[in-house]
């Protein structure tokens, strides 16, 4: 039995590995301000998407949605857990932290969850400008 797919996959995989190592070695191992703005934008967009495509499609709840509503707290808790994993992956593969960097992981996850809450929070803010 011929395994031609294996012979093609091995060189492609090693080529991608070599390219990614070379690409990352040329970059500095830190996240700049723009990287955090992009991460914050994704966090806000995720909250907005949950609000727009899931919460707004459901019938109105007995208790209005706010940051103390059980559904909102559940979505925020789930996002925090996801961000713990994403922050660990960022620290490990982007920043090059060999050991688990708990302060980075926790603070990055908390800030991303805070930004996520602005997108998720369906409260309509009114800006009443004084006369």
């Amino acid at each position: 039995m011929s395994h031609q797919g294996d012979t093609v996959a091995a060189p492609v995989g090693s080529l991608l590995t070599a390219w990614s190592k070379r690409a990352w070695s040329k970059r500095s191992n830190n996240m700049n301000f723009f990287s955090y703005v992009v991460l914050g934008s994704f966090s806000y967009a995720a909250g907005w998407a949950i609000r727009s495509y899931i919460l707004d499609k459901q019938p109105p709840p007995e208790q209005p949605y706010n940051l103390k509503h059980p559904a909102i707290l559940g979505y925020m808790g789930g996002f925090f857990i996801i961000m713990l994993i994403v922050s660990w992956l960022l620290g490990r593969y982007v920043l090059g932290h060999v050991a688990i960097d708990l302060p980075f992981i926790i603070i990055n996850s908390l800030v991303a969850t805070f930004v996520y809450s602005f997108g998720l929070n369906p409260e309509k803010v009114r800006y009443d400008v004084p006369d």
Side-chain angles (χ1 to χ4, degrees):
M1 182 180 274
S2 173
H3 294 283
Q4 291 177 353
D6 294 340
T7 59
V8 172
V12 171
S14 62
L15 179 66
L16 288 175
T17 303
W19 176 82
S20 66
K21 285 181 183 178
R22 187 175 66 233
W24 284 112
S25 66
K26 290 182 180 178
R27 298 179 184 161
S28 62
N29 285 336
N30 61 10
M31 288 180 64
N32 56 20
F33 178 74
F34 180 71
S35 302
Y36 284 107
V37 169
V38 170
L39 183 64
S41 299
F42 283 131
S43 299
Y44 183 86
W48 176 83
I50 294 291
R51 182 186 66 199
S52 298
Y53 296 112
I54 295 176
L55 296 178
D56 288 348
K57 304 286 187 211
Q58 297 176 354
E62 295 173 4
Q63 175 188 355
Y65 288 124
N66 57 24
L67 290 178
K68 296 177 184 175
H69 192 278
I72 300 290
L73 291 174
Y75 281 116
M76 286 178 59
F79 185 79
F80 180 73
I81 292 169
I82 290 169
M83 280 310 300
L84 287 172
I85 296 167
V86 169
S87 297
W88 172 74
L89 290 171
L90 283 173
R92 177 73 176 106
Y93 295 106
V94 174
L95 300 176
H97 299 161
V98 177
I100 294 177
D101 188 3
L102 281 180
F104 170 77
I105 293 171
I106 292 172
I107 290 172
N108 196 45
S109 300
L110 284 173
V111 170
T113 304
F114 178 71
V115 173
Y116 173 79
S117 72
F118 282 103
L120 185 64
N121 188 6
E123 293 178 1
K124 308 290 188 249
V125 178
R126 291 179 36 202
Y127 295 102
D128 293 328
V129 180
D131 292 332

mmCIF file of all heavy atoms in Angstrom, residues 78-104:
data_model
loop_
_atom_site.group_PDB
_atom_site.id
_atom_site.type_symbol
_atom_site.label_atom_id
_atom_site.label_comp_id
_atom_site.label_asym_id
_atom_site.label_seq_id
_atom_site.Cartn_x
_atom_site.Cartn_y
_atom_site.Cartn_z
ATOM 1 N N GLY A 78 -18.139 32.355 31.165
ATOM 2 C CA GLY A 78 -17.640 31.534 30.062
ATOM 3 C C GLY A 78 -16.561 32.242 29.265
ATOM 4 O O GLY A 78 -15.552 31.640 28.882
ATOM 5 N N PHE A 79 -16.755 33.545 29.025
ATOM 6 C CA PHE A 79 -15.740 34.306 28.284
ATOM 7 C C PHE A 79 -14.452 34.405 29.090
ATOM 8 O O PHE A 79 -13.358 34.326 28.527
ATOM 9 C CB PHE A 79 -16.270 35.699 27.941
ATOM 10 C CG PHE A 79 -15.325 36.487 27.081
ATOM 11 C CD1 PHE A 79 -15.245 36.245 25.720
ATOM 12 C CD2 PHE A 79 -14.513 37.463 27.622
ATOM 13 C CE1 PHE A 79 -14.375 36.953 24.919
ATOM 14 C CE2 PHE A 79 -13.640 38.176 26.840
ATOM 15 C CZ PHE A 79 -13.575 37.925 25.481
ATOM 16 N N PHE A 80 -14.563 34.573 30.406
ATOM 17 C CA PHE A 80 -13.364 34.645 31.247
ATOM 18 C C PHE A 80 -12.568 33.343 31.161
ATOM 19 O O PHE A 80 -11.340 33.372 31.046
ATOM 20 C CB PHE A 80 -13.749 34.944 32.703
ATOM 21 C CG PHE A 80 -12.572 35.027 33.624
ATOM 22 C CD1 PHE A 80 -11.726 36.121 33.583
ATOM 23 C CD2 PHE A 80 -12.301 34.009 34.528
ATOM 24 C CE1 PHE A 80 -10.633 36.203 34.422
ATOM 25 C CE2 PHE A 80 -11.220 34.088 35.372
ATOM 26 C CZ PHE A 80 -10.374 35.183 35.328
ATOM 27 N N ILE A 81 -13.247 32.218 31.184
ATOM 28 C CA ILE A 81 -12.557 30.924 31.073
ATOM 29 C C ILE A 81 -11.886 30.794 29.707
ATOM 30 O O ILE A 81 -10.729 30.357 29.603
ATOM 31 C CB ILE A 81 -13.536 29.774 31.344
ATOM 32 C CG1 ILE A 81 -13.949 29.791 32.815
ATOM 33 C CG2 ILE A 81 -12.932 28.426 30.963
ATOM 34 C CD1 ILE A 81 -15.092 28.878 33.161
ATOM 35 N N ILE A 82 -12.585 31.208 28.652
ATOM 36 C CA ILE A 82 -11.983 31.172 27.315
ATOM 37 C C ILE A 82 -10.756 32.078 27.270
ATOM 38 O O ILE A 82 -9.709 31.716 26.714
ATOM 39 C CB ILE A 82 -13.018 31.576 26.245
ATOM 40 C CG1 ILE A 82 -14.075 30.483 26.114
ATOM 41 C CG2 ILE A 82 -12.354 31.860 24.900
ATOM 42 C CD1 ILE A 82 -15.273 30.882 25.285
ATOM 43 N N MET A 83 -10.854 33.252 27.876
ATOM 44 C CA MET A 83 -9.719 34.184 27.859
ATOM 45 C C MET A 83 -8.548 33.692 28.696
ATOM 46 O O MET A 83 -7.403 34.030 28.403
ATOM 47 C CB MET A 83 -10.162 35.576 28.317
ATOM 48 C CG MET A 83 -10.854 36.362 27.233
ATOM 49 S SD MET A 83 -9.954 36.425 25.664
ATOM 50 C CE MET A 83 -8.435 37.209 26.152
ATOM 51 N N LEU A 84 -8.815 32.899 29.731
ATOM 52 C CA LEU A 84 -7.702 32.293 30.468
ATOM 53 C C LEU A 84 -6.881 31.405 29.535
ATOM 54 O O LEU A 84 -5.645 31.447 29.540
ATOM 55 C CB LEU A 84 -8.215 31.480 31.661
ATOM 56 C CG LEU A 84 -8.737 32.257 32.858
ATOM 57 C CD1 LEU A 84 -9.372 31.297 33.861
ATOM 58 C CD2 LEU A 84 -7.629 33.057 33.514
ATOM 59 N N ILE A 85 -7.563 30.630 28.725
ATOM 60 C CA ILE A 85 -6.875 29.737 27.781
ATOM 61 C C ILE A 85 -6.168 30.548 26.696
ATOM 62 O O ILE A 85 -5.000 30.296 26.375
ATOM 63 C CB ILE A 85 -7.873 28.732 27.178
ATOM 64 C CG1 ILE A 85 -8.429 27.828 28.284
ATOM 65 C CG2 ILE A 85 -7.231 27.908 26.069
ATOM 66 C CD1 ILE A 85 -9.635 27.024 27.884
ATOM 67 N N VAL A 86 -6.856 31.538 26.135
ATOM 68 C CA VAL A 86 -6.259 32.381 25.093
ATOM 69 C C VAL A 86 -5.051 33.138 25.645
ATOM 70 O O VAL A 86 -4.009 33.232 24.978
ATOM 71 C CB VAL A 86 -7.310 33.351 24.509
ATOM 72 C CG1 VAL A 86 -6.664 34.413 23.638
ATOM 73 C CG2 VAL A 86 -8.355 32.582 23.732
ATOM 74 N N SER A 87 -5.152 33.654 26.859
ATOM 75 C CA SER A 87 -4.029 34.382 27.458
ATOM 76 C C SER A 87 -2.844 33.464 27.701
ATOM 77 O O SER A 87 -1.692 33.869 27.515
ATOM 78 C CB SER A 87 -4.461 35.034 28.770
ATOM 79 O OG SER A 87 -5.460 35.983 28.529
ATOM 80 N N TRP A 88 -3.108 32.237 28.123
ATOM 81 C CA TRP A 88 -2.017 31.282 28.292
ATOM 82 C C TRP A 88 -1.344 31.007 26.947
ATOM 83 O O TRP A 88 -0.107 30.976 26.862
ATOM 84 C CB TRP A 88 -2.519 29.976 28.909
ATOM 85 C CG TRP A 88 -1.466 28.923 28.920
ATOM 86 C CD1 TRP A 88 -0.380 28.860 29.745
ATOM 87 C CD2 TRP A 88 -1.371 27.798 28.040
ATOM 88 N NE1 TRP A 88 0.373 27.760 29.430
ATOM 89 C CE2 TRP A 88 -0.208 27.089 28.388
ATOM 90 C CE3 TRP A 88 -2.165 27.325 27.004
ATOM 91 C CZ2 TRP A 88 0.173 25.934 27.734
ATOM 92 C CZ3 TRP A 88 -1.779 26.180 26.354
ATOM 93 C CH2 TRP A 88 -0.616 25.498 26.716
ATOM 94 N N LEU A 89 -2.154 30.822 25.890
ATOM 95 C CA LEU A 89 -1.587 30.571 24.562
ATOM 96 C C LEU A 89 -0.796 31.774 24.063
ATOM 97 O O LEU A 89 0.275 31.609 23.462
ATOM 98 C CB LEU A 89 -2.694 30.215 23.572
ATOM 99 C CG LEU A 89 -3.366 28.861 23.787
ATOM 100 C CD1 LEU A 89 -4.586 28.723 22.890
ATOM 101 C CD2 LEU A 89 -2.392 27.732 23.551
ATOM 102 N N LEU A 90 -1.302 32.987 24.297
ATOM 103 C CA LEU A 90 -0.549 34.185 23.917
ATOM 104 C C LEU A 90 0.780 34.259 24.654
ATOM 105 O O LEU A 90 1.810 34.563 24.060
ATOM 106 C CB LEU A 90 -1.371 35.447 24.211
ATOM 107 C CG LEU A 90 -2.490 35.792 23.259
ATOM 108 C CD1 LEU A 90 -3.306 36.964 23.806
ATOM 109 C CD2 LEU A 90 -1.952 36.120 21.890
ATOM 110 N N GLY A 91 0.731 34.019 25.949
ATOM 111 C CA GLY A 91 1.964 34.062 26.726
ATOM 112 C C GLY A 91 2.961 33.012 26.287
ATOM 113 O O GLY A 91 4.161 33.264 26.209
ATOM 114 N N ARG A 92 2.472 31.839 25.975
ATOM 115 C CA ARG A 92 3.364 30.731 25.613
ATOM 116 C C ARG A 92 3.939 30.874 24.210
ATOM 117 O O ARG A 92 5.135 30.729 24.003
ATOM 118 C CB ARG A 92 2.588 29.407 25.735
ATOM 119 C CG ARG A 92 3.352 28.188 25.325
ATOM 120 C CD ARG A 92 4.398 27.851 26.381
ATOM 121 N NE ARG A 92 5.072 26.632 26.033
ATOM 122 C CZ ARG A 92 6.318 26.588 25.574
ATOM 123 N NH1 ARG A 92 6.993 27.693 25.434
ATOM 124 N NH2 ARG A 92 6.872 25.440 25.283
ATOM 125 N N TYR A 93 3.092 31.148 23.245
ATOM 126 C CA TYR A 93 3.538 31.090 21.851
ATOM 127 C C TYR A 93 3.848 32.444 21.230
ATOM 128 O O TYR A 93 4.615 32.509 20.277
ATOM 129 C CB TYR A 93 2.501 30.343 21.005
ATOM 130 C CG TYR A 93 2.396 28.909 21.439
ATOM 131 C CD1 TYR A 93 1.297 28.457 22.155
ATOM 132 C CD2 TYR A 93 3.415 28.014 21.166
ATOM 133 C CE1 TYR A 93 1.214 27.140 22.574
ATOM 134 C CE2 TYR A 93 3.340 26.695 21.583
ATOM 135 C CZ TYR A 93 2.230 26.264 22.284
ATOM 136 O OH TYR A 93 2.165 24.964 22.708
ATOM 137 N N VAL A 94 3.263 33.523 21.728
ATOM 138 C CA VAL A 94 3.561 34.839 21.169
ATOM 139 C C VAL A 94 4.649 35.531 21.982
ATOM 140 O O VAL A 94 5.604 36.059 21.434
ATOM 141 C CB VAL A 94 2.287 35.709 21.095
ATOM 142 C CG1 VAL A 94 2.610 37.116 20.647
ATOM 143 C CG2 VAL A 94 1.278 35.072 20.163
ATOM 144 N N LEU A 95 4.493 35.502 23.300
ATOM 145 C CA LEU A 95 5.451 36.183 24.155
ATOM 146 C C LEU A 95 6.639 35.307 24.546
ATOM 147 O O LEU A 95 7.635 35.811 25.045
ATOM 148 C CB LEU A 95 4.755 36.705 25.416
ATOM 149 C CG LEU A 95 3.630 37.698 25.159
ATOM 150 C CD1 LEU A 95 2.947 38.069 26.457
ATOM 151 C CD2 LEU A 95 4.155 38.926 24.455
ATOM 152 N N GLY A 96 6.520 34.008 24.358
ATOM 153 C CA GLY A 96 7.638 33.108 24.632
ATOM 154 C C GLY A 96 7.860 32.792 26.102
ATOM 155 O O GLY A 96 8.969 32.451 26.499
ATOM 156 N N HIS A 97 6.808 32.893 26.920
ATOM 157 C CA HIS A 97 6.946 32.542 28.340
ATOM 158 C C HIS A 97 7.015 31.021 28.461
ATOM 159 O O HIS A 97 6.077 30.331 28.098
ATOM 160 C CB HIS A 97 5.763 33.057 29.154
ATOM 161 C CG HIS A 97 5.616 34.535 29.113
ATOM 162 N ND1 HIS A 97 4.443 35.147 29.440
ATOM 163 C CD2 HIS A 97 6.470 35.531 28.787
ATOM 164 C CE1 HIS A 97 4.585 36.455 29.324
ATOM 165 N NE2 HIS A 97 5.811 36.708 28.916
ATOM 166 N N VAL A 98 8.124 30.514 28.976
ATOM 167 C CA VAL A 98 8.278 29.068 29.106
ATOM 168 C C VAL A 98 7.407 28.562 30.249
ATOM 169 O O VAL A 98 6.684 27.583 30.108
ATOM 170 C CB VAL A 98 9.760 28.702 29.332
ATOM 171 C CG1 VAL A 98 9.918 27.217 29.537
ATOM 172 C CG2 VAL A 98 10.597 29.177 28.154
ATOM 173 N N ALA A 99 7.477 29.232 31.378
ATOM 174 C CA ALA A 99 6.649 28.847 32.531
ATOM 175 C C ALA A 99 5.301 29.568 32.434
ATOM 176 O O ALA A 99 5.149 30.545 31.700
ATOM 177 C CB ALA A 99 7.348 29.235 33.827
ATOM 178 N N ILE A 100 4.330 29.073 33.163
ATOM 179 C CA ILE A 100 3.010 29.705 33.182
ATOM 180 C C ILE A 100 3.133 31.037 33.922
ATOM 181 O O ILE A 100 3.547 31.087 35.073
ATOM 182 C CB ILE A 100 1.970 28.793 33.853
ATOM 183 C CG1 ILE A 100 1.767 27.540 33.007
ATOM 184 C CG2 ILE A 100 0.656 29.528 34.043
ATOM 185 C CD1 ILE A 100 0.809 26.544 33.605
ATOM 186 N N ASP A 101 2.766 32.104 33.254
ATOM 187 C CA ASP A 101 2.860 33.456 33.806
ATOM 188 C C ASP A 101 1.485 33.860 34.335
ATOM 189 O O ASP A 101 0.683 34.472 33.637
ATOM 190 C CB ASP A 101 3.335 34.408 32.712
ATOM 191 C CG ASP A 101 3.637 35.792 33.230
ATOM 192 O OD1 ASP A 101 3.540 36.002 34.455
ATOM 193 O OD2 ASP A 101 3.968 36.669 32.410
ATOM 194 N N LEU A 102 1.200 33.479 35.586
ATOM 195 C CA LEU A 102 -0.127 33.709 36.160
ATOM 196 C C LEU A 102 -0.543 35.172 36.211
ATOM 197 O O LEU A 102 -1.690 35.481 35.876
ATOM 198 C CB LEU A 102 -0.229 33.085 37.545
ATOM 199 C CG LEU A 102 -0.457 31.574 37.554
ATOM 200 C CD1 LEU A 102 -0.533 31.051 38.974
ATOM 201 C CD2 LEU A 102 -1.716 31.223 36.800
ATOM 202 N N PRO A 103 0.334 36.110 36.602
ATOM 203 C CA PRO A 103 -0.125 37.512 36.611
ATOM 204 C C PRO A 103 -0.571 37.981 35.224
ATOM 205 O O PRO A 103 -1.610 38.631 35.096
ATOM 206 C CB PRO A 103 1.093 38.295 37.097
ATOM 207 C CG PRO A 103 1.875 37.306 37.888
ATOM 208 C CD PRO A 103 1.650 35.988 37.222
ATOM 209 N N PHE A 104 0.180 37.662 34.190
ATOM 210 C CA PHE A 104 -0.202 38.054 32.828
ATOM 211 C C PHE A 104 -1.523 37.411 32.441
ATOM 212 O O PHE A 104 -2.411 38.077 31.912
ATOM 213 C CB PHE A 104 0.887 37.660 31.826
ATOM 214 C CG PHE A 104 0.459 37.803 30.394
ATOM 215 C CD1 PHE A 104 0.400 39.052 29.803
ATOM 216 C CD2 PHE A 104 0.090 36.692 29.646
ATOM 217 C CE1 PHE A 104 -0.009 39.196 28.483
ATOM 218 C CE2 PHE A 104 -0.327 36.828 28.336
ATOM 219 C CZ PHE A 104 -0.378 38.088 27.753
#
